[in-house]
């Protein structure tokens, strides 16, 4: 269940209440007259099944509530209510399959913003991966994958393509390109420093490296794994199962590939640098392709599910 806290101008409150009452899957409707001060208006509280959340939010935006009032949405961890159980049964579909597009856009907007924190994380992850490739240490490689924040911008690009949001696409692409460019540039300098103090050497980079040589040797499996990771990552975002993102992060070699390319470039080892760059591009392409197709599939399947529910239960979407 989702909890909605709305601030509605007095003249729109009745329309908001009517919309909620006509939406299948809502419960616990509360109206507090003149309770809001900034912006001024009435406060409307209600709970809604996740399956009906996207349509209700869309209906509220259709009333212009985000412009003249406020729409706040929270996930309810626990709701002990028979009425809530009935509301979830009345709502069409399954909550685990429902996508809250506004929430997804908001999350990817935050995760794909080019900020000091984002750049710091991707630089640190790439430097950790650089230590991993030189030492042929798989644990450091896995750690670098987990630290890397690059899935946020990748998810932002996928969401922007499906929802046709050019600003989000540009913001996500900028964060991705600038982040990796900064990380690789700093890692080149880091490599020179580590070499100067005797901790890195070209001999280590050119060694057999059985644990990490796959990073600069892309093959078909590189793309396949990236596609599978893109699907899993997208599903984890849309279903609020964020724990799966950790598994996604450590299954693709974006950050390690960038690190290996930077270290190899520092030592004029252009064969490894090119192979690592190819690995990086394959992973990025696979994730974006898979993520976009997954979102399109979810959108289509959910629309079909709602249409089927409308025929069998007489369900009407908000505003109809």
């Amino acid at each position: 269940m989702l909890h909605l806290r709305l601030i509605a101008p007095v003249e729109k409150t009745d329309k908001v209440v009517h919309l909620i009452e006509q939406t299948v899957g809502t419960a616990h409707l509360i109206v507090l007259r003149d309770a809001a001060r900034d912006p001024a208006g009435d406060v409307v509280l209600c709970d809604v099944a996740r399956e009906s959340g996207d349509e209700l939010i869309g209906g509220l935006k259709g009333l212009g509530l985000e412009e003249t009032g406020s729409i706040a949405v929270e996930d309810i961890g626990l709701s002990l209510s028979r009425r809530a159980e009935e509301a979830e049964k009345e709502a069409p579909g399954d909550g685990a399959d429902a996508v809250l597009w506004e929430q997804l856009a908001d999350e990817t907007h935050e995760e794909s913003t080019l900020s000091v924190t984002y750049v710091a994380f991707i630089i640190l992850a790439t430097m950790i991966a650089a230590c991993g490739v030189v030492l042929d240490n798989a644990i450091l490689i896995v750690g670098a994958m987990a630290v890397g924040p690059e899935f946020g911008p990748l998810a932002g690009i996928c969401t922007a393509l499906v929802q046709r949001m050019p600003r989000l696409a540009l913001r996500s692409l900028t964060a991705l390109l600038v982040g990796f460019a900064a990380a690789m540039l700093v890692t080149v300098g880091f490599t020179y420093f580590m070499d100067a103090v005797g901790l890195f050497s070209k001999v280590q980079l050119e060694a057999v490296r059985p644990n990490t040589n796959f990073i600069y040797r892309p093959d078909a499996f590189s793309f396949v794994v990236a596609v599978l990771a893109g699907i899993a990552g997208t599903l984890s975002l849309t279903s609020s199962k964020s724990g799966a993102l950790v598994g996604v992060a450590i299954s693709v070699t974006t950050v390690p590939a960038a690190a290996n390319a930077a270290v190899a470039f520092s030592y004029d080892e252009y064969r490894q640098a090119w192979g690592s760059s190819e690995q990086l591009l394959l992973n990025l392409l696979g994730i974006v392709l898979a993520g976009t197709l997954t979102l399109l599939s979810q959108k289509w399947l959910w629309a079909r599910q709602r249409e089927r529910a409308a025929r069998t239960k007489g369900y009407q979407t908000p505003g109809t």
Side-chain angles (χ1 to χ4, degrees):
M1 294 288 288
L2 303 172
H3 178 67
L4 272 63
R5 185 184 73 250
L6 314 172
I7 298 178
V10 175
E11 65 274 12
K12 290 186 178 181
T13 301
D14 290 341
K15 292 182 179 179
V16 169
V17 171
H18 178 72
L19 177 64
I20 294 173
E21 290 176 337
Q22 294 300 309
T23 301
V24 175
T26 58
H28 310 148
L29 176 61
I30 301 173
V31 180
L32 304 175
R33 299 288 181 179
D34 297 320
R37 293 293 179 266
D38 184 19
D42 301 328
V43 175
V44 180
L45 308 173
C46 74
D47 296 338
V48 60
R50 185 180 177 87
E51 303 91 298
S52 301
D54 192 61
E55 285 72 21
L56 178 56
I57 294 171
L60 293 170
K61 291 186 66 178
L63 295 175
L65 202 61
E66 83 281 10
E67 299 289 342
T68 57
S70 171
I71 304 173
V73 183
E74 300 175 335
D75 283 304
I76 300 177
L78 175 64
S79 179
L80 302 177
S81 167
R82 179 176 296 177
R83 180 66 191 95
E85 294 178 359
E86 293 173 352
E88 289 186 318
K89 291 179 181 178
E90 293 169 358
D94 192 322
D97 297 330
V99 179
L100 296 178
W101 293 101
E102 291 294 334
Q103 183 182 50
L104 180 62
D106 183 69
E107 288 180 357
T108 52
H109 176 278
E110 181 180 352
E111 294 294 329
S112 61
T113 300
L114 184 62
S115 63
V116 174
T117 301
Y118 168 80
V119 175
F121 267 115
I122 196 168
I123 288 176
L124 291 170
T126 307
M127 292 168 67
I128 293 172
C131 295
V133 298
V134 172
L135 298 175
D136 193 33
N137 190 315
I139 295 177
L140 291 177
I141 294 298
V142 172
M145 291 176 178
V147 172
E150 74 279 5
F151 190 79
L154 291 171
I157 292 173
C158 298
T159 303
L161 291 175
V162 173
Q163 293 296 93
R164 300 179 183 179
M165 304 169 67
R167 289 185 179 180
L168 178 59
L170 179 60
R171 181 183 297 108
S172 302
L173 185 60
T174 300
L176 191 68
L177 296 179
V178 173
F180 271 115
M184 294 174 73
L185 182 62
V186 172
T187 301
V188 169
F190 176 69
T191 302
Y192 288 144
F193 170 77
M194 295 293 280
D195 182 80
V197 298
L199 296 177
F200 279 11
S201 70
K202 188 174 183 179
V203 173
Q204 289 174 297
L205 182 70
E206 294 177 338
V208 179
R209 290 166 49 197
N211 294 321
T212 59
N213 60 23
F214 68 92
I215 294 173
Y216 60 89
R217 295 177 178 176
D219 54 20
F221 280 105
S222 301
F223 186 74
V224 170
V225 171
V227 168
L228 296 177
I231 296 172
T234 303
L235 290 175
S236 71
L237 284 178
T238 57
S239 64
S240 298
K241 296 185 182 298
S242 57
L245 280 177
V246 177
V248 173
I250 61 177
S251 63
V252 292
T253 53
T254 48
V255 166
N260 200 93
V263 174
F265 181 82
S266 302
Y267 285 118
D268 299 325
E269 183 60 49
Y270 299 119
R271 180 181 62 85
Q272 282 197 37
W274 173 252
S276 302
S277 300
E278 187 178 356
Q279 179 80 271
L280 174 62
L281 293 175
L282 275 176
N283 277 268
L284 294 177
L285 177 61
I287 293 173
V288 170
L289 178 63
T292 302
L293 292 177
T294 300
L295 288 176
L296 287 172
S297 298
Q298 287 181 290
K299 195 171 186 178
W300 180 79
L301 288 172
W302 186 247
R304 289 290 301 274
Q305 195 171 31
R306 295 189 66 82
E307 290 175 1
R308 185 163 56 250
R311 291 193 299 268
T312 58
K313 298 183 179 180
Y315 170 76
Q316 290 185 336
T317 57
T320 59

